[in-house]
Amino acid sequence: MATNIRDVAKAAGVSVATVSKVLNGYTTVNANTKEKVLALVKEMQFRPNQAARALVGRRSMTIGIFLTTGLAHPFFTKILGGMEQALKDKGYDLIYLAQLSRNKEYSFVRHCQSRNVEGVVVFGFQHDDMDFGELMESGIPTLFIDLDMQQGRAGFISSDNEEAIGKAVAYVAGLNHRKIAFLSGMRHSYTGRLRLDGYRAGLKKAGIPYRDDYVVDGDFTKEEGYRLMKELLANPDRPTAVVCGSDLEAIGAIEAIREAGLSVPEDISVVGFDDIEIAAHVSPPLTTVRQDMATIGRRAIELVDGLINDGTMPPPAEIVPTTLVVRESCAPAKEQ
Amino acid sequence: MATNIRDVAKAAGVSVATVSKVLNGYTTVNANTKEKVLALVKEMQFRPNQAARALVGRRSMTIGIFLTTGLAHPFFTKILGGMEQALKDKGYDLIYLAQLSRNKEYSFVRHCQSRNVEGVVVFGFQHDDMDFGELMESGIPTLFIDLDMQQGRAGFISSDNEEAIGKAVAYVAGLNHRKIAFLSGMRHSYTGRLRLDGYRAGLKKAGIPYRDDYVVDGDFTKEEGYRLMKELLANPDRPTAVVCGSDLEAIGAIEAIREAGLSVPEDISVVGFDDIEIAAHVSPPLTTVRQDMATIGRRAIELVDGLINDGTMPPPAEIVPTTLVVRESCAPAKEQ
DNA sequence: TTGAAAGCGCTAACAC
DNA sequence: GTGTTAGCGCTTTCAA
């Protein structure tokens, strides 16, 4: 068995209560006692048993993570990477609540409670994927990534999708393109909706009228990008630039464009979204909008932590700026 | 507060001991009682508090994960994806022990103990990155991924690196290449060593003598691939094929080859390693060796679970087969 | 077949 | 400033 608080107390010649007090930063402890205890704690490598701590109702120092996509979602890695340092700084461990999806009728909230998680980060869900009512009512501090849930102790964080697409449109418009299509993704999702808004806003700003036939909607995959681009290419009034909802879609679109005997960016300019690792390596290197996933991950943890520690903190709605990464998939429009 | 065992006991008109027994599958419970309790458990959505369970010394149903690379390692995602189902099947939750690296003198073993983890999966370490002695002695069931640790309650799992590179060499040799270089990665690591062995074995099988000047050693990055390829290109007796230790290295190598005014695969054939997502999308699409990370992840969990539940289970050393994925980065050698 | 009670390691009154 | 003690929710003897 590992060292416990009693061992430390015995070694220090004090009571367990005293050890507990120094461990929890109570100020009513004599400086010498405190020092002695701290020295012993270090020497004996004592770490309080988290289960016991959690049990007595104090902090479990555990944040749960809840995903649809499964652990293998490509962004998720980057988000995790961003969470890492914040987790360390705040002293949390992250627990992946795996049992969840096995059993739809098994309440997620119960799982959280049985694990004593102090807060939860949710990623990969759309509004209608699930009824979050129980979670909201549970009062468990919750942070949604890319989903605008904001009520009770739940807030969210997301890239500035609208501004991002607006920027992409402005960029190609600045290259004198007037026939700018939007190969969107999941138009009815939170992010999809905002991106469509951004597209319209971008067009408006550039003085370009919106056309329904320049908007096609997919699911962010390469295959879908390919298919949708074919549709756009079939348009008698072919667009000269296409802004995509994901890099994968953009790559699929490029494939379709080439198959049609056209080239990127000479004939059609393409803008991606996400700046996944591939983006810089495909040909031509993709001009795309970079989402700052690391910041999103880090802030997600910082925000749940805020929710956990400050009962009065209003549920956050944080928007993270994006960056347009200009590479080689866009060129000035040919004279028209 | 969430429902607890006492609530259930009260509702069922039995003692908490009885509820506990049905929950833990004791057979000494009356069938009717059992049924009633089970119904209530379901109805009340009762889940035993894991902290309390862990505290009384029973199972915590928690597996810890320990990484150097940080959460953002590209493979780690795939490994996690593979772990997912096994985790669900066995009923574990996965906890990322984040605090670790913050504080080198803070023992990892203590962290595990304080979290009551039943087993640990370790990924991303080389032998000399760390002293695993304490972990080994602790008796905590441990599974290393890609590191040949095997003693006490610790075993490992890894791709068949030697066979993999052997296969790659055989493939290009089959394309009539005789000047086959090996742009390796971390030659002194466990995997690096085996891959070098595989390279030599592959050459031998093909009847090609080994040459020291055809082996360069890097760190798996694209930049390193670029740099090392330059070295190989400077060789007066330039290789016509190069087998790489990672896809990223291969991509860097291709860049260097092109910069030298040569083309892939016409002048030089290139084989990657890993089959990361990019591999299929670069130009030319990369012929590479695919590691079955999903299987590695799944088996890792199954194996720790075995170690946890069967005290007599010998520490595993599982080797997972790889697949050669042929795309377009290799061509028959020109006549020599 | 069931229940009473001790105790896992810790924290937080409360008493001294 | 420090110690005593109850109790967090559960499992597990042990007795009934």
Side-chain angles (χ1 to χ4, degrees), chain A residues 5 20 26 46 49 53 58:
Chain A
I5 198 172
S20 174
Y26 282 59
F46 169 66
N49 182 313
R53 274 196 154 165
R58 234 161 158 308

Side-chain angles (χ1 to χ4, degrees), chain A residues 161-182:
Chain A
N161 286 282
E162 181 169 357
E163 196 264 353
I165 293 293
K167 206 152 50 182
V169 171
Y171 174 70
V172 286
L175 255 21
N176 285 323
H177 289 275
R178 307 286 300 170
K179 300 182 184 172
I180 305 170
F182 184 43

